[in-house]
């Protein structure tokens, strides 16, 4: 029953993988079949060639055909070899293209699952397993069409040759190879279990390696004197990973020794039978030569067929990791099909609560507030007050636990996801700048006019800086790939990220700690700039520094995940509540 379940699962996984690759590259499968047929033709020709030569030499009436047979066979072998070489090159390209297509789908999936799931450590390990699963199952089409299918042809040819000796020989060869196949299945199960354990160690090793050798984190590691600490951590994980690898190799070596003994026993028995048949006069010399070659060919064919099935069983286990990851929930991305009526005039949080996975406390609880068209709103509070959670919920990076969020009076989950997120231009505190050109960092694949580019750079305050560079906007950012790449100061990087948000031309903008890298004078000028550029946009600030609040139409004050105060700066100062206290605490350091 267990074997039946394993076979049915293998057929299902292989069928699914083949369908996915078929949609990307149909010619791949034709090349699989052709290269298999060419290889088997070459092997069968090599097997038959000596026997035919001996037969022709021994027959005095056909000696003139020997040279013709040699020339014809040599020409055929050359043509087949050239065909195999051409097919292999083309097959490699098409196979890699199909694999990259599946990897792209995996990466797209990783970007679409819920943020709360993606940030989970188990999920990251599952992604590594899914990625490894693709690599370990990517040759399923080749195994089926180029190995198993073609080897079945060889098996049929050699089985016919074996009939001249005794059918029992073929049965004996198949029986011994089946024993090796069963041993290989059990080995595959053990190796897959160890691969699962090893992937967790690999995930940790990759993290430590990235931390040690990333140019952004390496500096901090060195300056903190933590190099030995990280190296020891890396060495410990690497040692455990190598011990796991040694265990796998030991299992393989043990299995190989048993199979080698079975193979020795099989060869001895087969050749003893063949010699006895030849000595008894039942097997001509040419047929004996053919039989000797057929023994190797049949053994190899059956072994390849069984190994192919074993490979498919193993591939299904690995591909199952990929399927499990691709089946993870992405409800926020999938739900909703309605279109958004522009302009956006109303955003409402209605008794919203959210609890992060594996957390006992709510990050935000019973939040209710309204943001109207054209408003500039400041979201303030201490660390852990729930400010960033509000943004995550509004951006549908997380799904509310209770309550609802409304956009223009409708739940945000009723809208088409892609259309919905296009309405928002976020600048997160941990924004990323990429190793592309400055132009690509701001506009990605959009092509703005020179006037639009110049206007945006002037408004943000980056025009003079970028014009001072030899390549201007086409200057690469960072030196990771180009020696003439540049790096900006923290404040300039922040301006670049904000320029990217404005270039998106979305009706709602989020700025999470947008001035953390700016000095007070530049900060004041920056807020004046944002205020003048908002142009009817809804602008939402998140900041610890309360200088943002003086430019805001409304202030939302959070404390321990709850909305404790709401109003303008002047109103909240008159109330002398929580906002008043934290504002006074900050301003006293400047007095």
């Amino acid at each position: 029953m267990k074997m039946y379940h394993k076979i049915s699962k293998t057929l299902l996984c292989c069928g699914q993988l083949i369908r996915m690759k078929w949609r990307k590259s149909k010619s791949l499968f034709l090349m699989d079949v052709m290269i298999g047929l060419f290889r088997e033709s070459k092997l069968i020709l090599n097997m038959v060639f000596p026997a035919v030569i001996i037969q022709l030499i021994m027959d005095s009436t056909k000696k003139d055909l020997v040279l013709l047979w040699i020339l014809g066979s040599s020409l055929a072998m050359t043509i087949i070899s050239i065909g195999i070489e051409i097919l292999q090159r083309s097959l490699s390209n098409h196979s890699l293209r199909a694999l990259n297509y599946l990897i792209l789908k995996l990466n797209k999936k990783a970007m679409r699952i819920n943020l709360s799931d993606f940030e989970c450590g188990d999920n990251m390990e599952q992604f590594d397993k899914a990625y490894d699963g693709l690599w370990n199952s990517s040759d399923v089409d080749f195994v089926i069409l180029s190995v198993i299918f073609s080897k079945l042809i060889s098996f049929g040819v050699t089985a016919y040759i074996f009939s001249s000796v005794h059918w029992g020989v073929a049965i004996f060869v198949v029986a011994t190879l089946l024993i090796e196949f069963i041993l290989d299945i059990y080995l595959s199960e053990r190796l897959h279990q160890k691969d699962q354990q090893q992937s967790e160690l690999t995930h940790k090793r990759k993290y430590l390696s990235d931390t040690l050798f990333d140019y952004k984190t390496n500096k901090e590691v060195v300056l903190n004197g933590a190099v030995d600490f990280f190296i020891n951590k890396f060495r410990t994980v690497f040692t455990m990973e190598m011990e796991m690898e040694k265990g796998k190799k030991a299992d393989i070596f043990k299995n190989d020794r048993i199979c080698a003994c079975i193979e020795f026993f099989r060869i001895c028995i087969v050749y003893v039978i063949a010699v006895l048949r030849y000595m008894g006069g039942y097997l001509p010399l040419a047929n004996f030569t053919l039989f000797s070659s057929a023994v190797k060919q049949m053994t190899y064919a059956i072994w390849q067929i069984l190994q192919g099935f074993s490979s498919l069983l193993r591939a299904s286990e690995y591909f199952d990791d990929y399927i499990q990851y691709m089946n993870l929930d992405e409800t926020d991305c999938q739900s909703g099909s309605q279109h958004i009526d522009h302009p956006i005039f109303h955003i409402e949080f209605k008794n919203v609560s959210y609890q992060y996975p594996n957390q006992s406390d709510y990050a935000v609880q019973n939040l209710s507030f309204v943001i109207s068209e054209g408003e500039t709103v400041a979201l303030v509070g201490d660390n852990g007050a729930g400010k960033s959670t509000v943004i995550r919920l509004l951006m549908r990076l997380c799904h509310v636990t209770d309550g609802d969020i409304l956009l223009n009076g409708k739940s945000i989950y009723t809208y088409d996801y892609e259309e919905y997120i296009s309405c928002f231009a976020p600048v997160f505190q941990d924004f990323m700048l990429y190793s592309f050109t400055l132009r690509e960092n701001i506009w990605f694949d959009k092509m703005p006019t020179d006037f639009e580019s110049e206007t945006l750079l002037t408004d943000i305050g980056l025009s003079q800086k970028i014009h001072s560079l030899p390549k201007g906007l086409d200057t690469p950012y960072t030196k990771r790939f180009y020696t003439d790449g540049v790096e900006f100061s923290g404040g300039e990087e922040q301006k670049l990220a904000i320029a990217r948000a404005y270039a998106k031309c979305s009706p709602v903008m989020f700025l999470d700690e947008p001035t953390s890298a700016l000095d007070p004078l530049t900060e004041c000028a920056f807020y004046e700039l944002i205020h003048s550029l908002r142009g009817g946009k809804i602008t939402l600030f998140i900041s610890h520094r309360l200088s943002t609040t003086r430019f805001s139409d409304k202030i939302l004050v959070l404390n321990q995940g709850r909305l404790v105060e709401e109003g303008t700066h002047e109103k909240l100062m008159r109330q002398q509540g929580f906002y008043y206290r934290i504002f006074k605490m900050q301003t006293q350091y400047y007095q």
Side-chain angles (χ1 to χ4, degrees), residues 249-357:
K249 290 186 182 301
D251 288 343
I252 294 172
F253 181 62
K254 180 180 178 181
N255 189 77
D256 287 347
R257 282 184 296 174
I258 297 173
C259 291
C261 292
I262 295 173
E263 184 179 3
F264 174 76
F265 175 69
R266 177 174 58 244
I267 291 173
C268 289
I269 296 297
V270 168
Y271 273 97
V272 165
I273 293 173
V275 169
L276 290 176
R277 298 284 291 177
Y278 173 72
M279 293 175 66
Y282 300 106
L283 189 64
L285 179 60
N287 286 12
F288 179 81
T289 305
L290 181 61
F291 173 79
S292 300
S293 300
V295 169
K296 296 178 182 178
Q297 183 66 10
M298 185 181 194
T299 302
Y300 183 66
I302 298 173
W303 177 243
Q304 285 289 90
I305 292 169
L306 296 178
Q307 280 291 302
F309 281 115
S310 176
S311 177
L312 295 180
L313 291 171
R314 185 166 57 251
S316 69
E317 296 290 343
Y318 286 105
F319 188 66
D320 192 49
D321 293 329
Y322 173 79
I323 294 300
Q324 286 182 27
Y325 190 85
M326 296 300 289
N327 288 336
L328 285 176
D329 289 338
E330 49 177 272
T331 51
D332 290 349
C333 300
Q334 293 175 339
S335 62
S337 58
Q338 293 190 28
H339 297 291
I340 297 174
D341 296 326
H342 292 282
I344 294 176
F345 58 84
H346 190 263
I347 297 174
E348 180 180 2
F349 272 58
K350 197 170 183 180
N351 299 319
V352 170
S353 297
Y354 180 72
Q355 188 177 27
Y356 283 100

Side-chain angles (χ1 to χ4, degrees), residues 62-202:
K62 297 180 180 179
K63 288 183 179 179
D64 295 339
L65 297 176
V66 174
L67 184 59
L68 184 61
W69 173 257
I70 292 174
L71 290 174
S73 299
S74 300
L75 180 61
M77 296 279 282
T78 302
I79 293 172
I80 290 172
S81 297
I82 293 172
I84 291 173
E85 184 65 28
I86 294 172
L87 283 170
Q88 281 180 329
R89 291 174 183 270
S90 185
L91 179 66
S92 177
N93 293 333
H94 280 75
S95 182
L96 185 60
R97 192 178 299 123
L99 177 60
N100 285 334
Y101 163 73
L102 297 178
I103 291 174
L104 180 61
K105 287 189 66 174
L106 177 64
N107 289 330
K108 283 183 176 179
K109 176 68 178 184
M111 290 186 285
R112 292 177 64 86
I113 65 175
N114 295 334
L115 182 66
S116 56
D117 293 330
F118 184 77
E119 293 178 334
C120 175
D122 291 342
N123 183 276
M124 294 180 182
E125 289 177 6
Q126 195 171 352
F127 176 84
D128 287 339
K129 291 178 182 178
Y131 186 82
D132 292 340
L134 272 183
W135 279 100
N136 287 309
S137 61
S138 61
D139 61 345
V140 161
D141 55 293
F142 182 82
V143 171
I144 294 174
L145 299 175
S146 189
V147 177
I148 295 177
F149 174 71
S150 61
K151 290 302 176 184
L152 284 172
I153 296 174
S154 282
F155 174 75
V157 173
T158 52
Y160 175 76
I161 294 171
F162 271 40
S163 64
S164 63
V165 180
H166 198 284
W167 280 106
V169 176
I171 295 173
F172 172 72
V173 170
V174 172
T176 55
L177 287 169
L178 277 174
I179 295 173
E180 293 183 50
F181 175 63
I182 293 170
L183 291 173
D184 196 61
I185 289 177
Y186 286 119
L187 174 65
S188 297
E189 289 180 351
R190 293 197 303 273
L191 292 180
H192 182 257
Q193 290 173 0
K194 290 185 178 180
D195 280 339
Q196 295 286 296
Q197 299 169 6
Q198 192 173 2
S199 66
E200 299 177 9
L201 296 172
T202 303

Side-chain angles (χ1 to χ4, degrees), residues 443-459:
W443 285 281
F444 295 111
D445 57 353
K446 302 180 184 69
M447 296 298 292
T449 64
D450 292 339
F451 176 77
E452 289 173 331
S453 301
E454 186 60 34
T455 301
L456 178 59
L457 295 176
T458 301
D459 289 342

Side-chain angles (χ1 to χ4, degrees), residues 347-349 367-372 375-382 385-387 390-391 394 538-543 546 548-549 552-559 562-569 571-572 578-579 582:
I347 297 174
E348 180 180 2
F349 272 58
L367 283 186
S368 296
F369 59 83
V370 175
I371 302 174
S372 301
E375 279 191 328
T376 298
V377 178
L379 194 62
V380 301
D382 295 331
K387 304 185 296 298
V390 170
I391 300 300
L394 189 52
I538 292 176
T539 306
L540 183 58
F541 289 104
I542 297 179
S543 182
L546 300 186
T548 58
T549 59
S552 302
D553 301 313
K554 183 187 296 182
I555 303 167
L556 303 174
V557 185
L558 296 180
N559 184 32
R562 295 178 179 273
L563 181 64
V564 294
E565 291 177 343
E566 179 180 353
T568 63
H569 172 75
K571 176 186 175 182
L572 295 178
F578 184 76
Y579 174 83
I582 59 176

